[in-house]
Structures are given as C-alpha cells and as structure tokens.
Amino acid sequence: MRRGPAKRTTRGPGRPARLSRERILGAALALLERAPEEPLTVAAIAAEVDAVPAALYRHFASLDELLDAVLGEVLGSVELEIRRRAPWPGQVRDWMTSVRSHLLRYPAVLPLLGRRGRTSPAWLDVASVLIGILERAGLAGADLARAYLWVLETTCGIAMQEASLSLPEQIASARASLAEMGPEPRARMAKLGSHLTRLDGDTFFAFVADRTVEGLAELVGAAPRTRSRPLRQGR
C-alpha cells in the first residue's frame, strides 16, 4: 500500500515535463482536489498532463491498474492515521474516521472501490487493516467475518450517503417534504425535527462509531464462550 500522495510535478518553461506514473497520479489527485465531485476519467487525466489518453497506457497496463493506483494514493495514508499503541476500540474508531474522511474528501473515488464485478486491491489493502485490528481484539472465524462486514459496510454506507447529500441537506430535504406526508407519518417525523437539526455529519458519525465499538465489545466478550454459527451462503 502506498504511504501518501504521489509527489506533484510542476511544469517549467520550455519542453513539457516527461510523462511518468508519478506525474499521471499527481494530475489525477489535482483533478480530484479541484473538482472532487466530478467523475475521474482517463480523458480528463490525459488533458491535465497535455497527453492523449493512449499515452497513459504506456505507464499503466489497463484502466483498472490506473484507477487502482489513484485509489491507493487517496487511501494510502489511512493506516498511518491509526494510533499504533491505542487499544483496539480506539483503532476501530481511527479506521472508521480516517476512511470516511478520505472518501468524503475525494467522493469521486467512491465508485472506484468496486466496479464491473471487481473490487479494487487498493481498497482491500485498506480493509485488511481493519481485519488485523479485529483479530487483535480477539475475534476469529465467523465472528471476525461478521464484524469485518459490519464495520466496513457501516462506514462506507454512511460515506456514500454523505457524498451524495450531506446530513444537514438530508434533514432539510426531509423537512421540506413534511407537508406532502400523511397526518400520522408527519406527526411521527415532527417529533424528531428539532433534534435532527442539531446534528451534523461529524457528530452523527462519532455516535455511529461509538455504538459500533460498543457492539463489537459485546461480541468480543462473548466470543470465547460461544460457538459462532457459520455464515449462511448466498446472504
């Protein structure tokens, strides 16, 4: 796994800078920072480095390799942001918080995690860090698999929703639709209104991380005394 963003190169006067993997990745990150919600395409990256799209394939064997490398640059520092000496609950929180932060900074990479039936190895590198944390907590077998998917899906699901519409925007949109609801559903939703408006994305995610860690602690406490049922196939 890469440990940080690719080194950026700047073009001086005279001949264009020589094309390289590092320059291509730097251009991709520049695009993500300048227009974080715009889809990342080979054509856009090529234009950023004043090259034709075919030239990029001299440095990357395929589109998948290029996109995986970009994702690796975006997520490459997640492991470094996890406190090595922290107890496992703190490390789980660090993992969840870091992954959400990186994905929301570059929301255009969310579709790159899994595409055309293929999961990015760069994403699996990051996910494997979570497995190691949960193993150190004492989980194994089916309990480990369940816990891994629980934390992974919770973190990514919330990040994807926030990337589409921030939590305050979600709440504002819901309030705007109250008048079109039936009387009983509207009355139920009205009970939450003042409380929901006090929430922001960070506050809510901290709540989610805390509850997730609490649930994992129960699972860790039960793991040595109970035999986990095998995961059902096809679910």
Side-chain angles (χ1 to χ4, degrees):
M1 188 190 305
R2 290 184 178 272
R3 300 304 181 188
K7 183 179 180 181
R8 307 287 174 82
T9 58
T10 56
R11 184 183 307 173
R15 298 177 60 184
R18 183 177 179 181
L19 200 59
S20 65
R21 285 179 65 96
E22 291 73 19
R23 184 166 173 243
I24 292 168
L25 292 176
L29 286 178
L31 283 171
L32 289 173
E33 290 179 350
R34 191 164 65 244
E37 297 181 356
E38 292 294 321
L40 188 65
T41 65
V42 172
I45 298 172
E48 187 75 4
V49 294
D50 290 333
V52 297
L56 274 58
Y57 292 109
R58 298 174 190 150
H59 303 274
F60 296 91
S62 66
L63 174 62
D64 281 331
E65 182 181 326
L66 170 57
L67 296 180
D68 286 340
V70 172
L71 189 58
E73 292 295 329
V74 170
L75 296 174
S77 62
V78 166
E79 187 173 4
L80 298 179
E81 296 171 11
I82 297 172
R83 295 165 292 172
R84 293 187 177 275
R85 296 186 179 182
W88 71 263
Q91 291 187 334
V92 169
R93 286 191 188 90
D94 288 348
W95 187 92
M96 294 178 70
T97 302
S98 297
V99 168
R100 170 181 173 263
S101 176
H102 283 259
L103 293 179
L104 290 183
R105 182 181 177 190
Y106 302 107
V109 305
L110 279 161
L112 307 185
L113 302 183
R115 55 195 185 275
R116 298 195 304 276
R118 177 180 184 276
T119 301
S120 169
W123 170 239
L124 292 176
D125 280 346
V126 174
S128 72
V129 175
L130 174 62
I131 296 174
I133 295 171
L134 296 173
E135 284 181 320
R136 289 192 290 276
L139 295 176
D143 283 333
L144 174 61
R146 292 188 183 100
Y148 162 73
L149 284 178
W150 174 10
V151 179
L152 192 76
E153 296 292 330
T154 297
T155 304
C156 289
I158 291 177
M160 287 180 179
Q161 181 65 32
E162 286 187 278
S164 174
L165 200 64
S166 70
L167 185 60
E169 289 174 322
Q170 293 174 42
I171 295 169
S173 296
R175 294 188 68 183
S177 299
L178 285 177
E180 301 175 28
M181 298 176 63
E184 290 187 15
R186 182 169 62 245
R188 296 188 195 106
M189 291 297 300
K191 296 176 184 178
L192 306 181
S194 62
H195 303 288
L196 289 174
T197 55
R198 297 191 187 103
L199 291 175
D200 58 44
D202 291 341
T203 301
F204 175 65
F205 194 78
F207 169 83
V208 170
D210 286 344
R211 300 295 80 75
T212 300
V213 168
E214 287 179 3
L216 289 172
E218 292 183 9
L219 186 61
V220 168
R225 300 189 299 274
T226 62
R227 182 177 181 179
S228 298
R229 291 176 295 175
L231 293 171
R232 293 182 180 179
Q233 297 296 320
R235 295 189 65 181

